[in-house]
């Protein structure tokens, strides 16, 4: 979302907002406080009795509200930390596995006679890397539909895919396939690099699986049940107490309804923010964009398969000009477009 120039326009956005849920509790509470205040006036006819009870009721509500507010803020902080950690771990995992893939592409044999084997290795590795990341996302996902975009799987052994389907942890099997594939490529000369340097690839693949296990703990260990239960019960009690105390302590029935509405609205908003964020791998609007993350990796895998990506760009070195190391402040996109147009014009 975008804040806008004054960071105000986005407050009217409904998608991803917790306001509708909070209003379900805030509006009835405000109406109840208004009606209770009206009923009190019709029955008692004595404003002094309201003043006598306002001190005690306000003290009780104040203490209760302080404890509840502390618990809700604590839960929302923990929820945000879980949400942020989930996104960080999955991005770090992507980086580790993509770096391993990129290193393998960089180490490929460039001799002409090896190109058939090189092409086969490149496309097999790209599909396995896509399958690896997609399997990792499936492991952590709590979405109802765990369908992700994989690079096409046609050409793989049906028996191997059937075996993968029966495995308890598909990600670990695909990881093993990739490590074996890299080893065979190194042994047959498809990859030309010294073993100590190639070991970085295995380290990055291993680091990724460790990060995945850390991400899985967010699903395995949710917010403790007693804490969630206690906060919910206290919120319901707070709903009743707020309406009752404001109806008996505030002189104006309109102010009683308004104060009840605002207090309940704020507390339930914070509560639902925590509920939205504490499980970051689900279907909610505010959860992490797992499907888009898989598509983004696939796009990166495709880009790296092209010859323009595998080899550095040509460079016509002019000693007199280039040794000056001049710099220009330009938009890279606009600069490349201008150079392309100039090249076409010269041609």
């Amino acid at each position: 979302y975008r804040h806008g120039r004054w960071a105000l326009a986005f407050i009217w956005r409904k998608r991803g907002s917790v306001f509708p849920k909070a209003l379900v509790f805030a509006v009835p509470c405000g109406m109840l406080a208004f009606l209770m205040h009206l009923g009190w006036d019709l029955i008692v006819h004595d404003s002094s009795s309201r003043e006598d009870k306002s001190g005690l009721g306000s003290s009780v509500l104040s203490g209760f509200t302080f404890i509840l507010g502390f618990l809700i803020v604590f839960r929302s902080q923990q929820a945000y930390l879980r949400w942020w950690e989930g996104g960080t771990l999955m991005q770090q995992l992507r980086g580790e596995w993509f770096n391993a893939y990129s290193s393998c592409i960089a180490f490929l044999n460039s001799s002409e006679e090896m190109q058939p084997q090189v092409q086969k290795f490149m496309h097999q590795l790209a599909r396995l890397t896509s399958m690896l990341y997609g399997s990792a996302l499936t492991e952590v996902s709590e979405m109802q539909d765990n369908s992700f975009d994989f690079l096409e799987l046609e050409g793989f052994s049906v028996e191997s895919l059937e075996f993968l389907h029966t495995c308890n942890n598909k990600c670990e099997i695909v990881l093993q396939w990739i490590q074996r594939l890299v080893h065979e490529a190194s042994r047959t000369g498809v990859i030309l690099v010294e073993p100590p340097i190639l070991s970085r690839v295995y380290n990055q693949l291993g680091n990724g699986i460790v990060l995945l296990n850390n991400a899985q703990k967010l699903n395995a260990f949710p917010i403790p049940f007693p804490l969630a239960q206690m906060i919910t019960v206290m919120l319901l009690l707070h709903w009743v107490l707020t309406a009752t105390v404001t109806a008996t302590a505030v002189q104006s029935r309109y102010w009683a309804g308004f104060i009840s509405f605002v207090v309940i609205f704020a507390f339930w908003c914070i509560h639902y923010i925590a509920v939205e964020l504490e499980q970051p791998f689900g279907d909610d609007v505010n959860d992490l964009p797992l499907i888009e993350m898989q598509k983004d990796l696939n796009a990166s895998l495709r880009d790296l398969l092209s010859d323009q990506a595998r080899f550095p760009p040509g460079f016509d070195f002019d000693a007199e000009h280039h040794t000056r190391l001049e710099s220009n402040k330009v938009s890279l996109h606009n600069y490349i477009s201008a150079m392309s147009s100039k090249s076409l014009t010269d041609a």
Side-chain angles (χ1 to χ4, degrees), residues 47-232:
S47 61
S48 61
S49 60
R50 173 177 283 114
E51 295 175 357
D52 294 338
K53 294 176 174 56
S54 62
L56 177 61
S58 298
S59 298
V60 172
L61 180 61
S62 177
F64 188 86
T65 300
F66 174 79
I67 297 173
L68 177 60
F70 174 81
L71 291 175
I72 290 180
V73 170
F74 171 76
R75 183 180 182 181
S76 64
Q77 289 175 337
Q78 295 303 310
Y80 178 75
L81 291 176
R82 289 167 61 88
W83 181 84
W84 183 257
E85 183 181 13
T88 300
L89 290 172
M90 297 311 295
Q91 287 297 95
Q92 288 178 338
L93 182 151
R94 182 203 187 282
E96 292 283 356
W97 285 345
F98 183 78
N99 282 340
Y101 169 79
S102 176
S103 297
C104 289
I105 299 298
F107 301 151
L108 289 174
N109 193 326
S110 59
S111 63
E112 193 66 32
E113 62 273 10
M114 291 295 294
Q115 288 312 298
Q117 296 94 316
V118 167
Q119 287 293 322
K120 177 184 176 183
F121 171 79
M122 288 169 53
H123 285 270
Q124 188 175 4
L125 180 62
R127 285 159 174 78
L128 287 177
T129 304
S130 175
M131 189 188 302
L132 179 64
Y133 192 62
S135 299
L137 294 175
T138 303
E139 290 290 334
V140 300
S141 171
E142 291 189 328
M143 300 186 299
Q144 293 183 354
D145 182 10
N146 284 328
S147 300
F148 292 95
D149 288 336
F150 295 93
L151 296 182
E152 62 172 349
L153 303 179
E154 177 140 1
F156 283 108
S157 165
V158 176
E159 291 78 9
S160 297
L161 294 179
E162 289 176 346
F163 168 74
L164 180 66
H165 180 66
T166 62
C167 291
N168 177 56
N169 193 315
K170 297 177 178 57
C171 197
E172 294 173 349
I173 301 301
V174 179
L175 176 67
Q176 177 63 25
W177 288 348
I178 291 177
Q179 292 182 128
R180 184 66 185 181
L181 178 67
V182 172
H183 169 72
E184 291 296 327
S186 176
R187 185 180 62 82
T188 58
V190 174
I191 290 178
L192 293 180
V193 68
E194 297 301 323
I197 299 177
L198 185 60
S199 66
R200 290 191 315 168
V201 172
Y202 299 113
N203 289 336
Q204 289 170 332
L205 292 171
N207 292 340
I209 206 70
V210 171
L211 292 169
L212 175 61
N213 288 329
N214 283 333
Q216 287 177 308
K217 74 182 179 182
L218 299 177
N219 291 339
F221 308 119
I223 294 293
F225 169 74
L227 177 62
Q229 182 188 45
M230 186 62 185
I231 290 175
T232 303

Side-chain angles (χ1 to χ4, degrees), residues 137 267 273 344:
L137 294 175
F267 271 80
I273 289 173
L344 292 174

